[in-house]
């Protein structure tokens, strides 16, 4: 059931956006302490406002 759930990212303005793609990117820097990074890319469609958003 969880495999069918949509995945969203909460933006700085409190809107939720669909996750478009998740990428693993290698670092090209020799000796980097972080050899890879996880990058989450979202559509900029601001579907709706998050109910849990609190601006500080």
């Amino acid at each position: 059931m969880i495999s069918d759930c949509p995945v969203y990212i909460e933006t700085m303005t409190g809107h939720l956006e669909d996750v478009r793609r998740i990428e693993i990117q290698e670092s090209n820097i020799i000796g980097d302490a972080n050899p890879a990074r996880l990058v989450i890319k979202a559509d900029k469609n601001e579907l709706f406002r998050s109910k849990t958003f609190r601006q500080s």
Side-chain angles (χ1 to χ4, degrees), residues 5 15 25-26 31-32 36 44 55:
C5 292
H15 288 92
Q25 296 180 349
E26 272 187 82
D32 189 0
K44 297 197 183 257
Q55 193 170 11

Side-chain angles (χ1 to χ4, degrees), residues 17-32:
E17 296 179 354
D18 283 318
V19 170
R20 178 174 38 103
R21 183 167 60 221
I22 299 174
E23 298 177 352
I24 300 286
Q25 296 180 349
E26 272 187 82
S27 174
N28 294 331
I29 302 170
I30 297 171
D32 189 0

Side-chain angles (χ1 to χ4, degrees), residues 30-44:
I30 297 171
D32 189 0
N34 299 308
R37 61 185 165 257
L38 179 70
V39 179
I40 300 172
K41 297 187 176 186
D43 288 334
K44 297 197 183 257

